[in-house]
Amino acid sequence: MLFPTTCILPACIVLVSLTLSAALNLTLPHQHPDPEAVVQDVHRRLNASLSRRLLSSSSSSCGTGNPIDDCWRCDPNWASNRQRLADCGIGFGQSALGGRDGRIYVVTDSSDSDVVDPKPGTLRYGVLQEEPLWIIFSADMMIRLKHELIINNFKTIDGRGHNIEITGNGCLTVQDVSNIIIHNIHVHDCKPSGNTNIRSSPTHVGFRGVSDGDGISIFGASHIWVDHCSLWHCKDGLIDAIMGSTAITISNSYFAHHNEVMLLGHKDSNAPDSGMQVTIAFNHFGEGLVQRMPRCRRGYIHVVNNDFTEWQMYAIGGSANPTINSQGNRYTAPVDADAKEVTKRVDTEETEWTDWNWRTEGDIMVNGAYFVPSGVGLSAQYSKASSLEPKSAGLIDQLTLNAGVFGDPRDTSGISNPGFSGAGTTTATTADGGGGNGSNGGDSDYFGMIFGSDAPPAHSSATSILLSLLIILVLDTITNRGALLSLQLLTL
């Protein structure tokens, strides 16, 4: 396309922007032009963390191989440098700044009695401010919301060091804003509410209809990162991202006791959702879940290194031709013989979805689970995924070891509401990163030599460690996929 030789500068900028967006097939302003490059960047970061863990001394390292956690947890002074977390994101939401460049705001009051004129010191007062803020808490808190909590631009809600629960009416709303980080928070038992005036900024109070009752509702927003949260038992979705939301990462979180877990995309006919790009990494989809982990409409969804331990209907579903890139996950099917399939094309005939790009690479299928791929190269990918042995799952165990709020119990604890321990998150406050070095409970997998307790295991040797490292580094150099393929090779 030829541009006019003379034009008004703003008009030229708009014209060039529109032309480039059309050429790159972009539908949203914050959509990445090359999603595969973002996927490869996740691989590189994961492989770098695994390599550092291999090279480090077992007696001094706090690294786990999880690139997000290893970025900040090994700093014994992390509590004095909290905003460093904003530089640790991966995937499509890695550019979320949150309140990195702003002041620290301390929540000292757990009440939420006034949604129009909230008191200073409350969470609501902090999240509605115009300036960037890094929001922390002075003590353990149960915050029972009166109505939905509307979060303004450039905010971080950081619950590290305390046990923070958000529950009640509406819960967290991220609407038409950008650069939000939500970290180390319990979100549960959220209910619909509304038909009232709610303040969303220091200068705006508006009437809100009835909310859906999502745990976290992302609406027309971009550069969003949800990390190390524990979510369960809400009226609608635990996390929903709709209406042209993009540049999102959901990582290291724990989901339990819920039906429709995660919705990505408003409806099949909503064209802006074609630009939705979401990374779902290192999460644990735990007990009592039914479906939608996630359920996708349009967009590009990268599902990488998650542990799916329970579903009753399906794990990953979709309609309206979303791209699903499933890599290095573990899918454990339920006992029900009719629910073994990981995937579900919702209300769509096979003749329509056969060309959809649903990929599986390096996934581990347990208890009869199977992933039905589609699109280019499906036969080779399906064969590769189905032939993997479950013993290589040690890497998934390690990467998702601390999924959810730090210090929370896991499924086997007997707690009725996993994700809430009823005590402070002391694990996150230890000088060496807390539970990052814990053993995997004596599992006889070969990843113990890398990710086990600080004491060197008897069956490993320096030679085997160096050989494993060499294999990973060579594969990363040649194929740029060392992180995924190491899942298989380190078990040889």
Side-chain angles (χ1 to χ4, degrees):
M1 175 179 180
L2 296 177
F3 296 102
T5 54
T6 60
C7 67
I8 300 173
L9 182 58
C12 285
I13 292 173
V14 171
L15 179 60
V16 172
S17 177
L18 291 174
T19 303
L20 289 176
S21 293
L24 295 170
N25 194 29
L26 304 181
T27 60
L28 295 172
H30 300 287
Q31 179 182 352
H32 196 283
D34 185 3
E36 297 296 335
V38 178
V39 169
Q40 292 303 322
D41 182 63
V42 172
H43 296 176
R44 284 191 293 270
R45 294 188 185 206
L46 177 57
N47 199 66
S49 285
L50 293 171
S51 299
R52 283 193 297 269
R53 176 61 175 166
L54 280 164
L55 287 170
S56 64
S57 168
S58 62
S59 61
S60 61
S61 173
C62 71
T64 65
N66 183 312
I68 297 172
D69 291 351
D70 291 353
C71 175
W72 66 270
R73 289 191 75 199
C74 292
D75 179 3
N77 298 313
W78 67 261
S80 300
N81 189 20
R82 287 176 175 270
Q83 285 151 305
R84 180 187 177 190
L85 175 68
D87 300 323
C88 298
I90 65 168
F92 291 112
Q94 65 182 288
S95 297
L97 297 177
R100 187 193 68 180
D101 300 326
R103 298 183 296 115
I104 299 290
Y105 173 92
V106 182
V107 178
T108 58
D109 185 342
S110 64
S111 69
D112 188 46
S113 57
D114 193 336
V115 299
V116 172
D117 189 20
K119 293 187 296 183
T122 62
L123 176 60
R124 187 176 297 274
Y125 184 89
V127 299
L128 63 80
Q129 301 303 311
E130 295 286 5
E131 64 177 303
L133 289 176
W134 196 278
I135 299 171
I136 64 175
F137 300 83
S138 64
D140 296 355
M141 291 186 184
M142 167 80 80
I143 299 175
R144 299 184 184 276
L145 296 175
K146 186 175 182 179
H147 291 293
E148 61 181 320
L149 187 75
I150 303 175
I151 303 172
N152 208 342
N153 293 288
F154 292 96
K155 298 295 181 293
T156 297
I157 302 177
D158 179 2
R160 286 177 293 177
H162 292 292
N163 190 59
I164 307 301
E165 296 180 74
I166 296 177
T167 186
N169 296 322
C171 287
L172 305 182
T173 295
V174 181
Q175 181 173 343
D176 298 327
V177 294
S178 68
N179 290 283
I180 306 298
I181 299 173
I182 302 171
H183 183 84
N184 213 57
I185 302 291
H186 301 92
V187 181
H188 63 91
D189 295 291
C190 300
K191 303 171 184 177
S193 71
N195 285 331
T196 189
N197 289 318
I198 301 177
R199 184 174 294 278
S200 59
S201 78
T203 59
H204 182 264
V205 176
F207 183 81
R208 303 287 294 184
V210 177
S211 64
D212 292 334
D214 296 329
I216 301 175
S217 174
I218 304 170
F219 184 107
S222 63
H223 301 299
I224 310 300
W225 182 21
V226 179
D227 187 52
H228 276 294
C229 290
S230 295
L231 302 99
W232 71 94
H233 200 244
C234 295
K235 178 64 176 179
D236 194 28
L238 294 181
I239 300 179
D240 283 5
I242 62 172
M243 299 302 291
S245 296
T246 194
I248 300 167
T249 293
I250 300 167
S251 57
N252 292 312
S253 292
Y254 184 79
F255 303 88
H257 299 290
H258 197 76
N259 178 11
E260 298 176 337
V261 178
M262 188 185 303
L263 174 65
L264 304 178
H266 176 54
K267 56 184 179 181
D268 290 0
S269 61
N270 191 55
D273 284 331
S274 297
M276 177 177 56
Q277 296 172 330
V278 182
T279 300
I280 301 172
F282 316 136
N283 301 287
H284 184 176
F285 293 89
E287 66 179 11
L289 299 180
V290 179
Q291 59 179 318
R292 296 191 176 186
M293 296 169 247
R295 191 262 198 248
C296 315
R297 293 184 174 105
R298 301 177 176 263
Y300 187 111
I301 317 300
H302 186 206
V303 184
V304 57
N305 291 140
N306 301 278
D307 195 5
F308 295 81
T309 56
E310 187 168 339
W311 68 81
Q312 295 178 28
M313 293 177 63
Y314 64 88
I316 297 177
S319 59
N321 193 13
T323 294
I324 307 294
N325 189 358
S326 174
Q327 298 182 305
N329 302 283
R330 178 170 57 190
Y331 296 103
T332 303
V335 175
D336 184 355
D338 295 326
K340 300 289 187 182
E341 184 178 344
V342 172
T343 50
K344 179 178 177 62
R345 279 75 170 179
V346 181
D347 298 328
T348 308
E349 296 295 330
E350 183 172 355
T351 54
E352 182 179 344
W353 62 253
T354 187
D355 292 328
W356 292 1
N357 190 0
W358 288 33
R359 292 176 274 171
T360 172
E361 181 180 9
D363 289 327
I364 300 160
M365 305 294 168
V366 181
N367 197 33
Y370 65 97
F371 186 113
V372 178
S374 56
V376 178
L378 65 89
S379 297
Q381 291 168 354
Y382 182 71
S383 175
K384 181 178 181 180
S386 299
S387 65
L388 290 176
E389 298 182 25
K391 68 179 182 181
S392 60
L395 182 57
I396 298 295
D397 289 338
Q398 186 61 35
L399 292 174
T400 63
L401 178 66
N402 294 308
V405 169
F406 289 110
D408 278 352
R410 296 276 66 97
D411 287 353
T412 55
S413 66
I415 302 297
S416 60
N417 286 319
F420 169 52
S421 62
T425 52
T426 55
T427 304
T429 61
T430 58
D432 65 352
N437 292 327
S439 81
N440 286 335
D443 292 344
S444 58
D445 62 83
Y446 289 88
F447 290 99
M449 66 181 183
I450 308 169
F451 300 113
S453 64
D454 286 341
H459 65 268
S460 67
S461 67
T463 301
S464 61
I465 293 175
L466 291 175
L467 178 59
S468 298
L469 174 61
L470 180 61
I471 292 171
I472 294 174
L473 293 179
V474 169
L475 283 167
D476 184 64
T477 301
I478 296 174
T479 69
N480 207 19
R481 292 185 178 179
L484 285 168
L485 295 178
S486 64
L487 190 66
Q488 305 167 59
L489 290 169
L490 283 177
T491 61
L492 297 177

